[in-house]
Amino acid sequence: MDSKASAGGGTLSYEQAGVNYDLIDPLKVAAQRAAAATGAHLAAHGFTEVKASRGESAYVVDVGPFYIASIVECLGSKALVADEMHQLTGRSFYASIAQDTIAMAVNDLITVGATPLVVQAYWAAGGSEWFSDAQRAQALVEGWKKACEVCGVAWGGGETPALAGIVEANRIDLAASCTGLINPKERLSVGDKLAAGDAIVLLASSGIHANGLSLARKLVERLPQGYLTKLDDGRSYGEALLDATTLYSPVTEALYKAGIQPHYCANITGHGWRKLLRHPAQLTYRIHTVPPVPPVLRFIQQHAQQDDREAYSTLNMGAGFAIFVPAKDAQRTVDVAKACGIDAWVAGAVEAGPKQLLVEPLSIRFGDDDLQLR
Amino acid sequence: MDSKASAGGGTLSYEQAGVNYDLIDPLKVAAQRAAAATGAHLAAHGFTEVKASRGESAYVVDVGPFYIASIVECLGSKALVADEMHQLTGRSFYASIAQDTIAMAVNDLITVGATPLVVQAYWAAGGSEWFSDAQRAQALVEGWKKACEVCGVAWGGGETPALAGIVEANRIDLAASCTGLINPKERLSVGDKLAAGDAIVLLASSGIHANGLSLARKLVERLPQGYLTKLDDGRSYGEALLDATTLYSPVTEALYKAGIQPHYCANITGHGWRKLLRHPAQLTYRIHTVPPVPPVLRFIQQHAQQDDREAYSTLNMGAGFAIFVPAKDAQRTVDVAKACGIDAWVAGAVEAGPKQLLVEPLSIRFGDDDLQLR
């Protein structure tokens, strides 16, 4: 067990699981302001930033013939679950952990319309010893390579530092950076096209992906069999948690080839479905169809005693990525996703109205004040 | 003290300082092989990798009108020194730590001829509490912004995860990713131009930069006053260690504007002067002029009881960056660097001959077997 706090009954919220955003947010705001002031440096090189990309999931620069998008993203704490499950079962889950890490970067990068081209690996271990488990290290390498194949990106290189004293002994801090092109420039998707009348297409998640793991790990304290507790489908909780995050770039690339131009995209990560409110405009998002909930997420909701509103505000609940497209393209978007092997639903529509998300089948409303990212 | 090992007398080598490359290198080789196999994915997008950039300090892709270079780099353990010095003096050194982190990425990226355009911040803390020290957090933001100004790059954004259980409590794992353009394409510098007759220009370092810190930290155990031990120039050892890494991109940009095309560049980081042997060709590098050694590096050499050969094989010893230029441009290269406020020397020449580095004033020879990076 990596968490030592005691766990009683009652509702377990994300905040109780240990991440205090009140402490981080002032730094984030200061960093965002300082970062925004540096965009002007590009003029000396003859380039400009795409201002609307500030606050979006990837940063975009106009370099003339096309846009360049870049990003760095962290896996988060999911590797701790892989470590626990290795102790319990002897199996290595680092191939899927590798895919999770790449997904964190790629799934964000594609929201702005970019084709991911190059991924760099950041694997910071707690000491040289981490790398001495050859099976684990090899799984990480193989999983990383396979995820690059799925996304059609080149693995450029990376860093494998041993950081004793900074990273905990026998742990690893995993991150990925990704650079891509928006080419042709019409593919740029930073929200200016989103409008009332657009359809909301949701793409299936494979499970928890790599967000909400603090909560998922905390929950283990309540389970008599811990990570080995069985879900309704017979799989263990730990194994189900470790299903690799779906990579969505094959879908966005296939949409482009099919002539479908998303008006906006949202990667549904932290903050769960509240991410559907990511766009700054005053628009109402009305959901009429809710995807089936993966067993591992239903299990978490039940054992954390969360009502639907709390669950959908924290976890992806079966929808890992949202694509906003012209209504006429909605069904084709679903078809394209399914042809990529990813289930999808025309789930709702964008309407004129106050900024809110209405999940009608569940009678949930999220308002503007439920998501403050900027 | 973050290191618990006891320290006797005698020579203190880098290996003794705790990083065991024998454990990391097999993974590195496996990762490099797997990464190399992914370069072909770019063809589906109509692009190609620059194969010669594999094994260089940044990865380069040909996207038609120009090349894109990208990289992710880790600060390493230097933040531990800043944390110790904060305990001892109450001062925050995180502004210079921020510059160090950006320098690790930018100084590598420019070796291939790239103009750095966008930096992304990766700040992974051991918990939300790290960010509650507002002075420290603000220093990190301000230092990051200032380094971006010096390099003329846009700070695109980044990640500020709280990774309790992975990163140690009250520590931070710092890294930077950087994306740049090689434009015009003639600026590409991956070694094909290097030839006998070229001059070797060395650019001054500001001190230890961010490599060799494991050794520098280990050494503290031998010093009665630890980080507060005075150097000959009256400054404390800890303060001198924390001098920010020199940013070299203003020099490479100014060289381009002056019409000087480097034939090759080497960022002198880990492995010290052995990095001058980075280029794969069979060539002899003969050094006739050795830059003055910064007091903090002389101090480390003396107290670690290293002979010159060991010191120059580990630390930058006053030369932070090497530029290989046509002999006719050597003095102008020095002048351009000095105009940027960075001291420089025409230090030697490239000759036909076996692969070796001859540091004549110190009677040191490094051969091909002294540096195995590929």
Side-chain angles (χ1 to χ4, degrees):
Chain A
M1 285 297 304
D2 44 72
S3 180
K4 299 288 187 290
S6 69
T11 300
L12 187 59
S13 74
Y14 196 69
E15 281 64 30
Q16 287 170 293
V19 179
N20 183 345
Y21 284 107
D22 289 343
L23 292 178
I24 305 176
D25 286 345
L27 172 93
K28 275 196 170 180
V29 170
Q32 282 165 0
R33 278 189 196 150
T38 63
H41 298 154
L42 295 168
H45 309 295
F47 303 135
T48 51
E49 72 172 12
V50 175
K51 267 213 167 30
S53 72
R54 294 248 176 229
E56 293 298 325
S57 299
Y59 181 66
V60 182
V61 175
D62 185 346
V63 295
F66 29 64
Y67 300 103
I68 293 180
S70 62
I71 197 168
V72 66
E73 286 292 325
C74 176
L75 170 65
S77 64
K78 192 166 179 175
L80 294 174
V81 181
D83 293 344
E84 286 290 319
M85 283 297 286
H86 181 258
Q87 291 267 341
L88 294 168
T89 69
R91 286 176 56 193
S92 172
F93 292 87
Y94 270 84
S96 63
I97 286 291
Q99 176 171 329
D100 288 317
T101 308
I102 290 184
M104 295 299 277
V106 163
N107 291 348
D108 263 4
L109 192 88
I110 59 175
T111 62
V112 295
T115 301
L117 288 185
V118 178
V119 160
Q120 304 280 355
Y122 183 73
W123 302 346
S128 324
E129 311 76 52
W130 196 93
F131 302 103
S132 66
D133 179 339
Q135 189 204 8
R136 179 173 61 183
Q138 194 57 35
L140 181 61
V141 169
E142 287 301 322
W144 199 272
K145 183 183 175 204
K146 183 160 164 271
C148 288
E149 279 162 15
V150 171
C151 298
V153 301
W155 176 3
E159 273 271 89
T160 54
L163 294 181
I166 295 178
V167 175
E168 302 246 13
N170 214 25
R171 300 294 186 193
I172 192 159
D173 178 18
L174 295 168
S177 73
C178 187
T179 300
L181 288 191
I182 300 167
N183 177 33
K185 292 175 88 170
E186 291 69 39
R187 285 187 67 178
L188 181 68
S189 156
V190 288
D192 47 309
K193 300 177 186 123
L194 185 68
D198 284 346
I200 304 170
V201 174
L202 295 177
L203 306 187
S205 72
S206 58
I208 195 169
H209 287 184
N211 289 96
L213 270 299
S214 296
L215 172 67
R217 287 164 43 230
K218 183 87 179 161
L219 194 63
V220 164
E221 300 166 29
R222 297 189 173 185
L223 306 174
Q225 306 233 242
Y227 284 114
L228 298 182
T229 306
K230 296 290 185 203
L231 308 186
D232 290 344
D233 62 4
R235 299 176 73 208
S236 75
Y237 176 55
E239 185 186 348
L241 282 176
L242 287 162
D243 285 341
T245 305
T246 305
L247 296 159
Y248 294 111
S249 72
V251 177
T252 51
E253 289 305 296
L255 286 176
Y256 170 67
K257 292 195 178 92
I260 296 171
Q261 162 76 55
H263 283 179
Y264 195 64
C265 296
N267 187 18
I268 302 175
T269 54
H271 305 96
W273 280 41
R274 289 179 289 167
K275 277 283 168 68
L276 293 171
L277 290 165
R278 177 161 201 129
H279 193 283
Q282 292 294 320
L283 288 167
T284 291
Y285 306 88
R286 190 181 300 272
I287 300 293
H288 53 66
T289 300
V290 170
V293 179
V296 68
L297 297 182
R298 186 64 79 202
F299 181 91
I300 291 171
Q301 179 184 6
Q302 284 166 353
H303 288 267
Q305 300 177 32
Q306 293 186 340
D307 59 21
D308 282 340
R309 191 174 197 284
E310 176 130 29
Y312 279 77
S313 75
T314 307
L315 302 165
N316 71 60
M317 298 307 277
F321 199 84
I323 305 181
F324 303 79
V325 292
K328 70 174 173 56
D329 294 329
Q331 187 54 49
R332 272 212 304 148
T333 299
V334 167
D335 297 342
V336 165
K338 286 183 174 174
C340 293
I342 294 174
D343 215 351
W345 303 268
V346 181
V350 182
E351 299 175 359
K355 185 164 184 176
Q356 58 180 342
L357 170 66
L358 303 170
V359 188
E360 295 193 327
L362 303 170
S363 303
I364 300 173
R365 177 188 174 276
F366 292 113
D368 197 8
D369 49 343
D370 287 314
L371 183 73
Q372 296 298 339
L373 294 176
R374 293 164 204 253
Chain B
M1 285 298 305
D2 43 71
S3 179
K4 299 288 185 291
S6 69
T11 300
L12 187 59
S13 74
Y14 196 72
E15 281 65 30
Q16 287 172 292
V19 179
N20 184 345
Y21 285 107
D22 289 344
L23 292 179
I24 304 176
D25 286 347
L27 171 92
K28 276 197 169 179
V29 170
Q32 282 164 0
R33 276 189 198 149
T38 64
H41 298 154
L42 295 168
H45 310 295
F47 303 136
T48 50
E49 72 172 13
V50 175
K51 268 214 166 32
S53 73
R54 294 245 175 232
E56 293 298 325
S57 299
Y59 181 66
V60 182
V61 175
D62 186 346
V63 293
F66 30 63
Y67 299 104
I68 292 180
S70 62
I71 195 166
V72 65
E73 286 291 327
C74 176
L75 169 66
S77 64
K78 193 167 179 175
L80 295 173
V81 181
D83 292 345
E84 286 290 318
M85 283 297 286
H86 180 258
Q87 292 267 341
L88 294 168
T89 69
R91 288 176 56 193
S92 173
F93 292 87
Y94 270 83
S96 65
I97 287 292
Q99 177 171 328
D100 288 316
T101 309
I102 290 184
M104 296 299 277
V106 163
N107 291 347
D108 264 3
L109 191 89
I110 60 176
T111 61
V112 294
T115 301
L117 288 186
V118 178
V119 161
Q120 303 279 356
Y122 183 73
W123 302 347
S128 325
E129 312 75 52
W130 196 94
F131 301 105
S132 65
D133 179 339
Q135 188 203 11
R136 178 173 62 183
Q138 195 56 34
L140 181 61
V141 170
E142 288 301 321
W144 199 273
K145 184 184 174 203
K146 184 161 163 272
C148 288
E149 279 162 16
V150 171
C151 297
V153 301
W155 176 2
E159 272 272 89
T160 55
L163 294 181
I166 295 177
V167 175
E168 302 249 11
N170 214 25
R171 300 293 187 195
I172 192 160
D173 178 18
L174 295 168
S177 74
C178 188
T179 301
L181 288 190
I182 300 166
N183 177 32
K185 292 175 87 169
E186 291 70 40
R187 285 187 68 177
L188 181 67
S189 157
V190 288
D192 48 309
K193 299 175 185 126
L194 186 69
D198 285 344
I200 304 169
V201 174
L202 295 177
L203 306 187
S205 71
S206 59
I208 196 169
H209 287 183
N211 288 97
L213 270 299
S214 296
L215 172 67
R217 288 165 41 231
K218 183 87 179 162
L219 194 63
V220 163
E221 301 165 29
R222 295 189 173 184
L223 305 174
Q225 307 233 243
Y227 283 114
L228 299 182
T229 306
K230 296 291 187 203
L231 308 186
D232 290 344
D233 62 5
R235 300 175 72 208
S236 75
Y237 176 55
E239 185 186 346
L241 282 176
L242 288 163
D243 286 340
T245 305
T246 305
L247 296 159
Y248 295 111
S249 72
V251 177
T252 49
E253 288 305 295
L255 286 175
Y256 170 65
K257 292 195 179 91
I260 297 171
Q261 163 75 55
H263 283 179
Y264 195 64
C265 296
N267 186 18
I268 302 174
T269 53
H271 304 97
W273 281 41
R274 288 180 288 168
K275 278 281 168 71
L276 293 170
L277 290 166
R278 177 160 201 130
H279 193 282
Q282 291 294 320
L283 289 167
T284 291
Y285 306 88
R286 190 180 300 272
I287 301 292
H288 53 66
T289 299
V290 170
V293 179
V296 69
L297 297 181
R298 186 63 79 200
F299 180 91
I300 292 171
Q301 180 184 6
Q302 284 166 352
H303 287 266
Q305 299 178 34
Q306 294 186 341
D307 61 21
D308 282 339
R309 191 174 197 283
E310 176 131 29
Y312 279 78
S313 75
T314 307
L315 303 165
N316 71 60
M317 298 307 277
F321 200 84
I323 305 181
F324 302 80
V325 292
K328 69 173 173 57
D329 294 329
Q331 187 53 49
R332 272 212 302 148
T333 299
V334 168
D335 298 341
V336 164
K338 287 184 173 174
C340 294
I342 294 174
D343 215 352
W345 301 268
V346 181
V350 183
E351 299 176 359
K355 186 166 184 175
Q356 57 180 343
L357 169 66
L358 304 170
V359 188
E360 294 193 329
L362 303 170
S363 302
I364 300 172
R365 177 189 175 277
F366 293 113
D368 197 9
D369 49 342
D370 288 313
L371 183 73
Q372 296 299 339
L373 293 176
R374 295 165 202 256

